[in-house]
Amino acid sequence: MMRKFAQRYWTTLPCIILLAIFMVGPILWSLYGSLTNMSLTGENAVNHSFVGLTNYGKLFTDGEFPKVLWLTFLFVFFSAIIAQNGLGLLLAMLLQRMPKAACRFVSTTVIAAWVLPETAASFVCYAFFNKDGSFNQLIAGLNLPKVDWLYYLPMLAVILANVWRGTAFSMMNYQAALGDVDQSVSESSALDGASWFQDFFLVKLPMIKQTVVTNLMLITLQTLAGFTLIYVMTAGGPGTNSTTLSVYTYKQAFRFGDIGYGTAISVVMLAVGAIFGIIYIRALNSEKE
């Protein structure tokens, strides 16, 4: 049986081995770690023991966990699924109709936020939303009161920052997809009396559905795992008012030293990502059929 498998998949065998080492291996280690009382320091750092589902029991009785789960949903839904996806599609549509000079300017401006190193982009956002930052300077110019965005509205601030940071990825995906649509299709719909709006939503959008689903899957999983932007801007605070699953995992594992509990949270995050992935893959398969 192993010989048949090797003969059939020998060209992809190196990839399968690498996936097993670098993806399956860490997942199995995380599952094991979540069932132990492993800690960052102290006796349990060296001589940890198996505690079964104790960490999961602690997780689901943790008063902060439902809030963290809800904030993670808000962060992913509004910054990725709604804003990045929607703005990326809108920009790709507009860039098709813009003059070349304007198209280059807009593309360069949007992509600049994406190509910045993540830490640098995070500090830019921190400076922008800070109480004495650029955003409040603009507001003051309109004679409006300053707001400490990172203290009173931290989740809104990190959502807007993530939209600014990540929209370019969706825009480029949709630009490529729309560029592959035959122009004769639009010409035919125009001859039939279709408006620009009808041409896009009734003709072009159904033709790029696979790109839409693929883009949604990629940005959802990327945003779910987002850590640096939130941690640099707010460190998950004040309190836990901007804490997502990735930040909560870090806090429990490395700030409080409870590796076993932090790993249990990461396993839950893995399960959430797997659910999103399954939904999107099923949607992709249904499109292909």
Side-chain angles (χ1 to χ4, degrees), residues 139-215:
I139 289 174
L142 299 173
N143 294 320
L144 296 173
K146 290 183 179 181
V147 178
D148 192 345
W149 298 93
L150 299 178
Y151 185 82
Y152 293 107
L153 295 167
M155 206 64 218
L156 177 61
V158 296
I159 285 172
L160 292 174
N162 195 52
V163 173
W164 168 76
R165 166 87 172 135
T167 298
F169 181 78
S170 296
M171 182 191 75
M172 290 186 292
N173 279 336
Y174 290 130
Q175 271 187 294
L178 291 171
D180 288 338
V181 175
D182 195 335
Q183 289 301 312
S184 63
V185 175
S186 295
E187 292 169 3
S188 299
S189 63
L191 289 173
D192 290 334
S195 65
W196 176 81
F197 183 87
Q198 290 172 322
D199 172 60
F200 181 80
F201 284 98
L202 300 179
V203 180
K204 288 183 178 177
L205 191 59
M207 296 176 71
I208 62 168
K209 273 186 179 179
Q210 286 192 18
T211 300
V212 173
V213 176
T214 302
N215 183 69

Side-chain angles (χ1 to χ4, degrees), residues 224 245 264-278:
L224 179 65
L245 283 171
I265 300 169
S266 72
V267 170
V268 172
M269 187 167 67
L270 179 67
V272 172
I275 291 168
F276 275 115
I278 290 168

